[in-house]
Amino acid sequence: MVASQIQIKHRQEYTGTRTLKTKYIAEITHKGLNDYKVLSSDHQLILQNKVNAHIAKLNERWSKIVNKENVVRSKEEILRDADKRNKEARDALKEIDDILIYTLDIDDTVDWEMLKDKTRFSVPYPGDDLPRLISAVRKPLAPSVLSYPQQPDINEFQPKLTFLDGLIKSKKDAKFQQAEGQYQHALDKWKQICESLDRENSAIKEKNNNDLLKYDKEIEKIKQRNAQKVEEWSQEKAAFLKRREEANYKVTLLKEGYFKKEAGSLLEYCDLVLNNSKYPESFPKSFELDYNPETKILVIDYALPNQEQLPNIAEVKVVKGEVKEYPVSEVQIQKMFDAVMYKITLRTIHEIFESDAANAIDAVSFNGWVNAVNRANGNRENNCVLTIQVKKDEFMQIDLGHVDPKICFKNLKGVGSSKLSGLTPVQPILQISRTDARFINSYDVADSLDSSTNLASMDWEDFEHLIREVFGKEFSTNGGEVKVTQASRDGGVDAVAFDPDPIRGGKIVIQAKRYTNTVGVSAVRDLYGTVMNEGATKGILVTTADFGPDAYEFVKGKPLTLMNGANLLYLLQKHGHNARIDLREAKQSSK
């Protein structure tokens, strides 16, 4: 891996529509692969594990490209290369064809133990290196002292007497005296030599002692340095084990939070599930999630691949000694694109429902987005091309191994154009709120509202005026107008909008519920009845709270639009008004 190929930007933000939590985000870009990925987590250590795993995948992909074989030249090599590339092309097309059924043989439930960090501390123990370090220092040898010469033997100095010496005593005594002198001289000389040797041996021993002292000091330094390294190693190991323990504890907390159905933990869990889903490397596999614990609806904004990211080689052959690629036709690409859109949609919903071990999700609202160049204007656009909301109990009755993905999608009341390859945008059934204005944070407010105004508990007449005003601004951009009807003082308000647009305009009934609890299907039925009785072209139901799965199910195929609290706040912000919705505060104040 070339380090400069990968760039990682870390940031954090407060997110979640119903929780005030810090989300840690890493944006990873690989220049060579032209790959961009956003990873996030509520925990830094878990995010780092995700980042490490993604970088490992990027390195593997980049290695394949860097190490790709040079163009072959011999006939046999050309044939082998063509066969190899032809197999790769067929495998790529088959992988696309099997995108839906691939997931049916996989248990999508998260393996909590696999999430835990089980790596061992791999730094070698420096204490094991101490004997080698000590042996590398040369130890002084025992000194070789000089030996004394042999002491003169007095017997060797005895005089040799003649017959005459025996007769003349003076001669004999002279010879003995001479011999005694010679012996004494030899003995004195021997003593001098021994004294000299003693001095030399003393110097040798002193030098050896000094060398031994130096050796001992050097060994002591080595031991001290090694002991310091052992101490640093121990601290590093302790820190490593602590980080590992903390990361694993975060996994344990995440698991506990998930089974307690806490929104933040559930979103993290679903993020793990979808990240574990294997797709072709060219696919973006990027998504955003939101979860409403009251309605138990999971919203998924999913980045689907564009046509350029699909396999485009149908076959590889050798023609006149050269390898030739035969592309997939434009018609086949469009057909493949449509099929992939439906398959990924059904597969994603299946993976979420199958992995829902905590039984925390009653319904999934899926919005499929495609980032592609609009051939009409040449600009790159990101459009929602299909949207669907489906309840768990209904979806789990489907045998995905034997369905036609498009027919199944349509039967579940999914919304999308007849040819998805046209990239015709559709309005998401339920969309993630990009700004979390429901939380009580400091922000600017319009003159008509202040930071203390809670829409869920404001006076019903003020609420009536606000609804009329904001929808009046919305429809006035097209020459329309809004008139408020007499309210029933039950926390709701009725209004009628007149849109002059000759195609999508007409009479529109608007009903708002200043509620603190989830709006059920009965209110939606009532609105539908009003639309029919009034002869209106459309009905809009607005609430300060949210809608249940049955409500979203009822509006499928009907000229009704549901706007929850997040949608209402977005509409207010669109026209220059900032407000908040605090359902808990409203409930407490109404007691």
Side-chain angles (χ1 to χ4, degrees), residues 42-54:
D42 293 338
H43 309 291
Q44 286 180 299
L45 295 174
I46 292 179
L47 175 61
Q48 189 58 48
N49 288 341
K50 289 183 179 181
V51 170
N52 293 341
H54 184 62

Side-chain angles (χ1 to χ4, degrees), residues 16 30 63 72 88 91-92 142 193 200 213 219 226 249 253 291 330 339 352 355 358 380 388 436 494 548 550 562 578:
H30 194 294
S63 177
V72 291
E88 290 173 350
D91 290 346
I193 292 173
E200 290 186 40
L213 287 173
I219 295 302
N226 187 258
Y249 181 62
L253 290 180
Y291 174 72
E330 181 69 22
I352 290 297
S355 63
R380 181 167 288 276
I388 185 174
D436 198 351
D494 293 309
D550 290 340
L562 303 183
N578 288 315

